[in-house]
Amino acid sequence: MAPRDDLVAETQSLLASDRLTAPTRAALRARMDRRYGEPLLFDEVQMQTLAAASARLIPAPDLADAVDLAGALDAALAQGEGDGWRYADAPSDSRLHTLGLDALNAAALARFASSFRDLSPERQDALLSSAASGELESAGIDAALWFEELLCALVELHYAHPLVQVSIGYDGMADAHGVQAVGLAEVAQDAQLAG
Amino acid sequence: MRLAQAGLRVVALEAGRRWSPAEDFATDERAQEALFWKDERLSAGADPLPFGKNNSGIGVGGSTLHWTAYAPRARPDDFRLFSDFGVGRDWPISYDDLEPYYTEVERRLGVSGPNPYPWGPPRHVGYPLAPLPLNGAAELMARGAKAVGLKTSPAPNAALSGTYYQAGVGYRPACSNRGFCQAGCSTGAKGSVDVAFIPLALAAGAELREGCFATGLERSHDGAISAVIYRDAGGEQRQRCRNVFLCAGAVETPRLLLRNGLANSSDQVGRNFMAHPGLQIWGVFDELIRPTRGIPGGLISEDPHRPSDADFAGGYLVQSLGVMPVTYVGQLARSQKLWGQALVDHMAEFNHVAGINILGDCLPHPDNRLTLSDELDDRGLPKPLITFSNGENERRMSAHADRLLSALWTAAGARDLKRVQRNAHTLGTCRMGATGDDAVVDADGRSFDIDNLYICDNSIYPSALSVNPALTQMALSLRTADRFLQGRRS
């Protein structure tokens, strides 16, 4: 599903405006325009599982195509964009996610004789819950650790996207107009004046 | 700065690069991740610590680049925890030893804060600037604190509430309330080390080399350090030296020493890793807050510094919290495992979110430690393994704080409370002490084993103190430099 036209227009207008400094505009523009091609790390089934899991972890049907969390995570992992640490008990980030997605799909096949992607949302949620609690059968990894790392990676990618930020009314990126109002009364008054 | 100003030839080796904040720093969390130390660290123990984000920095200015700018002083009794409680460690120096340096650092950074400050001993010199304006979280904390009987005050923060001038640094502008301190200050309003100290060091003749990762320390036949071995873009380099100040922080400093088998006759290198209990309570309010606005920690209370009903040693302070969206949602995911519609619905109210947190003392424990793992990083060096578990004292303190903060935030009007259990800062691993039997360096930061090796970072903390560490670390650094210079003269 495509994002709402008015959200896209509002975001594009913000990115084109003089409300952003040049480095901020460059960072957000690059993310807004980023498209992911063929997966670099995950195979086709893993990508399908990841996209389906993302849609349940962060249900935002009108934003999912534009943000493309599966593509974004695949690209980040393939480029070795680590976050500076990992649980000593877990394998490398790439291996953790690969094994985790395999385990999730294998559990779908074992329990429901269907790939994870084709399950009902309720069954997908049930499997994700069992991953979150560490009950998902997962060879070689702790499913709960994987779930935590997956969720953290996805929410950070999602809420960094300009469309998502604008959709929740966040305007902290508008950094070019000097001193900002901070107090409750001042922030409320600003909002009132802006309509 | 101090050493160069005394006429010494100083070469500073920095693993990261130098930034031009106005051109380089975006008001965007992901773009600013270049300020974090991204070499992989392995975390173990009952409470494995996240690194990367905000627990370690890289670049000229170090971790102060993404410092929140909290600048409270430690209290005199923080330095004598063992004497007062029979647990933890006393520092080999006292508050009075650091007091003149606190004053100096506050002036150099341009700390904004209230005069008089309501807690701690009376100050000879007040904060150089008036407090920063209170943001939504600070106003709400004031409201809730009043209801539960907690005294509050505008917090001391190392960001400017007015234009500030210092010789050798020039004019720095007042904070624009952007609230991205943890993602790098783009205006120079925050008193990070690159802004407040480095220009003075360079003016005094210090040389600063960026992109230099130290790998070894070469010793002469008498055991003294004769050169630093480091890698830069051109390969392996060697810098001869008379003295070395190791300032790589509580992970890379012990890692370098352990790898090279140096300064560890006490078997204390890597031990007693500490991280402050930093419980956060978040809530959603009816009021429009816009949580990035303003200095994140606008309001403070030191009332629970030594709570009368405590069942633990030491204590904590309470701060109001603003937050950036990606940081916020990442913490909720990690700590609360919030997902699905509940997550999306909560984040739709991001503009109405505000938080409070504590910063509490952490007792040293020898099994909380850094060791070298068997895994090699991209440089071919063993990755550090940090094992950390909160002890009974930290758990009791956090439980006490949870009761106080939850009541306070509810009284302030918060709903949908979210609890983030976390530990913050990297402290210890090369503690200072009175003798080399159980400490790595003496009160002047000098190695007990190697006469011309000094450690000048938060690895030397013998106990964690119940305040954010940066101000104390800077004060300690100036003192270490002065003690070194005094030693040369005598």
Short mmCIF file of all heavy atoms in Angstrom, two decimals, chain A residues 99-127:
data_model
loop_
_atom_site.label_atom_id
_atom_site.label_comp_id
_atom_site.label_asym_id
_atom_site.label_seq_id
_atom_site.Cartn_x
_atom_site.Cartn_y
_atom_site.Cartn_z
N LEU A 99 19.68 -17.10 11.19
CA LEU A 99 19.19 -18.27 11.92
C LEU A 99 17.82 -18.02 12.53
O LEU A 99 16.96 -18.91 12.56
CB LEU A 99 20.19 -18.68 13.01
CG LEU A 99 21.53 -19.23 12.51
CD1 LEU A 99 22.48 -19.46 13.69
CD2 LEU A 99 21.33 -20.52 11.73
N GLY A 100 17.61 -16.81 13.00
CA GLY A 100 16.34 -16.47 13.62
C GLY A 100 15.19 -16.54 12.61
O GLY A 100 14.13 -17.11 12.89
N LEU A 101 15.40 -15.96 11.45
CA LEU A 101 14.35 -15.98 10.42
C LEU A 101 14.08 -17.41 9.96
O LEU A 101 12.92 -17.79 9.75
CB LEU A 101 14.76 -15.10 9.24
CG LEU A 101 14.80 -13.59 9.54
CD1 LEU A 101 15.46 -12.82 8.40
CD2 LEU A 101 13.38 -13.05 9.79
N ASP A 102 15.13 -18.19 9.82
CA ASP A 102 14.96 -19.60 9.45
C ASP A 102 14.14 -20.34 10.50
O ASP A 102 13.24 -21.13 10.17
CB ASP A 102 16.32 -20.29 9.30
CG ASP A 102 17.03 -19.88 8.01
OD1 ASP A 102 16.37 -19.26 7.14
OD2 ASP A 102 18.23 -20.17 7.88
N ALA A 103 14.44 -20.07 11.76
CA ALA A 103 13.73 -20.75 12.85
C ALA A 103 12.25 -20.36 12.85
O ALA A 103 11.37 -21.19 13.09
CB ALA A 103 14.37 -20.41 14.19
N LEU A 104 11.99 -19.08 12.60
CA LEU A 104 10.60 -18.61 12.60
C LEU A 104 9.80 -19.29 11.50
O LEU A 104 8.67 -19.75 11.72
CB LEU A 104 10.59 -17.08 12.41
CG LEU A 104 9.25 -16.37 12.63
CD1 LEU A 104 8.75 -16.54 14.07
CD2 LEU A 104 9.38 -14.88 12.30
N ASN A 105 10.39 -19.38 10.32
CA ASN A 105 9.68 -20.01 9.20
C ASN A 105 9.55 -21.52 9.41
O ASN A 105 8.51 -22.12 9.10
CB ASN A 105 10.40 -19.71 7.89
CG ASN A 105 9.50 -19.95 6.69
OD1 ASN A 105 8.34 -19.50 6.69
ND2 ASN A 105 10.00 -20.67 5.70
N ALA A 106 10.58 -22.12 9.98
CA ALA A 106 10.53 -23.56 10.25
C ALA A 106 9.42 -23.87 11.26
O ALA A 106 8.69 -24.86 11.12
CB ALA A 106 11.88 -24.04 10.77
N ALA A 107 9.27 -23.00 12.26
CA ALA A 107 8.21 -23.20 13.25
C ALA A 107 6.84 -23.07 12.61
O ALA A 107 5.91 -23.80 12.96
CB ALA A 107 8.37 -22.20 14.40
N ALA A 108 6.71 -22.13 11.66
CA ALA A 108 5.43 -21.97 10.96
C ALA A 108 5.09 -23.24 10.19
O ALA A 108 3.96 -23.74 10.24
CB ALA A 108 5.51 -20.77 10.01
N LEU A 109 6.08 -23.79 9.51
CA LEU A 109 5.86 -25.01 8.73
C LEU A 109 5.52 -26.18 9.66
O LEU A 109 4.62 -26.97 9.38
CB LEU A 109 7.10 -25.32 7.90
CG LEU A 109 7.35 -24.35 6.73
CD1 LEU A 109 8.76 -24.52 6.16
CD2 LEU A 109 6.29 -24.53 5.64
N ALA A 110 6.25 -26.27 10.76
CA ALA A 110 6.05 -27.40 11.67
C ALA A 110 4.69 -27.33 12.37
O ALA A 110 3.99 -28.33 12.49
CB ALA A 110 7.17 -27.43 12.71
N ARG A 111 4.31 -26.14 12.82
CA ARG A 111 3.07 -26.04 13.60
C ARG A 111 1.83 -25.92 12.72
O ARG A 111 0.78 -26.42 13.05
CB ARG A 111 3.12 -24.82 14.53
CG ARG A 111 3.91 -25.07 15.79
CD ARG A 111 3.62 -23.99 16.83
NE ARG A 111 4.87 -23.62 17.50
CZ ARG A 111 4.99 -22.63 18.36
NH1 ARG A 111 3.94 -21.88 18.62
NH2 ARG A 111 6.14 -22.38 18.93
N PHE A 112 1.97 -25.19 11.62
CA PHE A 112 0.78 -24.86 10.83
C PHE A 112 0.87 -25.31 9.37
O PHE A 112 -0.01 -24.99 8.56
CB PHE A 112 0.52 -23.35 10.88
CG PHE A 112 0.41 -22.79 12.27
CD1 PHE A 112 1.36 -21.90 12.76
CD2 PHE A 112 -0.63 -23.18 13.11
CE1 PHE A 112 1.27 -21.38 14.05
CE2 PHE A 112 -0.73 -22.66 14.41
CZ PHE A 112 0.23 -21.76 14.88
N ALA A 113 1.95 -26.00 9.02
CA ALA A 113 2.13 -26.48 7.65
C ALA A 113 1.98 -25.36 6.63
O ALA A 113 1.36 -25.52 5.58
CB ALA A 113 1.16 -27.62 7.35
N SER A 114 2.53 -24.21 6.98
CA SER A 114 2.48 -23.06 6.06
C SER A 114 3.71 -22.21 6.30
O SER A 114 4.26 -22.21 7.40
CB SER A 114 1.22 -22.23 6.35
OG SER A 114 1.36 -20.93 5.80
N SER A 115 4.14 -21.53 5.25
CA SER A 115 5.25 -20.60 5.47
C SER A 115 4.77 -19.48 6.38
O SER A 115 3.55 -19.20 6.45
CB SER A 115 5.73 -20.02 4.14
OG SER A 115 4.73 -19.20 3.59
N PHE A 116 5.71 -18.83 7.07
CA PHE A 116 5.34 -17.75 7.99
C PHE A 116 4.58 -16.65 7.24
O PHE A 116 3.59 -16.12 7.73
CB PHE A 116 6.59 -17.18 8.66
CG PHE A 116 6.29 -16.11 9.66
CD1 PHE A 116 5.91 -16.43 10.96
CD2 PHE A 116 6.36 -14.75 9.31
CE1 PHE A 116 5.61 -15.44 11.88
CE2 PHE A 116 6.05 -13.76 10.23
CZ PHE A 116 5.68 -14.11 11.52
N ARG A 117 5.04 -16.35 6.04
CA ARG A 117 4.44 -15.26 5.28
C ARG A 117 2.95 -15.47 5.04
O ARG A 117 2.17 -14.53 5.05
CB ARG A 117 5.15 -15.11 3.94
CG ARG A 117 4.57 -13.98 3.09
CD ARG A 117 5.19 -13.93 1.72
NE ARG A 117 4.85 -15.10 0.91
CZ ARG A 117 5.03 -15.15 -0.41
NH1 ARG A 117 5.57 -14.13 -1.04
NH2 ARG A 117 4.70 -16.23 -1.08
N ASP A 118 2.56 -16.73 4.82
CA ASP A 118 1.18 -17.01 4.43
C ASP A 118 0.25 -17.29 5.62
O ASP A 118 -0.93 -17.59 5.43
CB ASP A 118 1.15 -18.19 3.45
CG ASP A 118 1.86 -17.83 2.16
OD1 ASP A 118 1.80 -16.64 1.77
OD2 ASP A 118 2.51 -18.72 1.56
N LEU A 119 0.79 -17.20 6.83
CA LEU A 119 -0.06 -17.43 8.00
C LEU A 119 -1.00 -16.25 8.23
O LEU A 119 -0.74 -15.12 7.79
CB LEU A 119 0.81 -17.60 9.26
CG LEU A 119 1.62 -18.89 9.40
CD1 LEU A 119 2.41 -18.82 10.70
CD2 LEU A 119 0.71 -20.10 9.38
N SER A 120 -2.05 -16.50 8.99
CA SER A 120 -2.92 -15.40 9.41
C SER A 120 -2.13 -14.51 10.39
O SER A 120 -1.20 -14.99 11.05
CB SER A 120 -4.15 -15.96 10.13
OG SER A 120 -3.75 -16.55 11.36
N PRO A 121 -2.52 -13.23 10.49
CA PRO A 121 -1.84 -12.35 11.44
C PRO A 121 -1.85 -12.91 12.86
O PRO A 121 -0.86 -12.78 13.59
CB PRO A 121 -2.65 -11.05 11.36
CG PRO A 121 -3.27 -11.07 10.01
CD PRO A 121 -3.52 -12.52 9.68
N GLU A 122 -2.94 -13.57 13.25
CA GLU A 122 -3.02 -14.11 14.62
C GLU A 122 -1.96 -15.18 14.83
O GLU A 122 -1.30 -15.22 15.88
CB GLU A 122 -4.41 -14.71 14.88
CG GLU A 122 -5.54 -13.69 14.94
CD GLU A 122 -5.90 -13.12 13.57
OE1 GLU A 122 -5.68 -13.83 12.53
OE2 GLU A 122 -6.38 -11.97 13.50
N ARG A 123 -1.80 -16.05 13.84
CA ARG A 123 -0.79 -17.11 13.98
C ARG A 123 0.63 -16.53 13.89
O ARG A 123 1.55 -16.98 14.59
CB ARG A 123 -1.01 -18.17 12.91
CG ARG A 123 -2.23 -19.02 13.25
CD ARG A 123 -2.46 -20.12 12.26
NE ARG A 123 -3.46 -21.05 12.79
CZ ARG A 123 -3.92 -22.10 12.14
NH1 ARG A 123 -3.47 -22.39 10.92
NH2 ARG A 123 -4.80 -22.90 12.69
N GLN A 124 0.80 -15.54 13.04
CA GLN A 124 2.12 -14.88 12.99
C GLN A 124 2.45 -14.27 14.35
O GLN A 124 3.57 -14.42 14.86
CB GLN A 124 2.11 -13.79 11.91
CG GLN A 124 2.09 -14.34 10.49
CD GLN A 124 2.01 -13.24 9.44
OE1 GLN A 124 1.52 -12.14 9.71
NE2 GLN A 124 2.48 -13.55 8.23
N ASP A 125 1.47 -13.62 14.95
CA ASP A 125 1.70 -13.02 16.27
C ASP A 125 2.02 -14.08 17.32
O ASP A 125 2.86 -13.87 18.20
CB ASP A 125 0.47 -12.21 16.72
CG ASP A 125 0.37 -10.88 15.98
OD1 ASP A 125 1.23 -10.61 15.11
OD2 ASP A 125 -0.57 -10.11 16.25
N ALA A 126 1.35 -15.21 17.22
CA ALA A 126 1.60 -16.28 18.20
C ALA A 126 3.04 -16.77 18.10
O ALA A 126 3.72 -16.98 19.11
CB ALA A 126 0.62 -17.43 17.96
N LEU A 127 3.51 -16.92 16.87
CA LEU A 127 4.90 -17.37 16.70
C LEU A 127 5.89 -16.29 17.15
O LEU A 127 6.92 -16.60 17.78
CB LEU A 127 5.15 -17.74 15.24
CG LEU A 127 4.50 -19.06 14.79
CD1 LEU A 127 4.69 -19.27 13.29
CD2 LEU A 127 5.08 -20.24 15.56
#
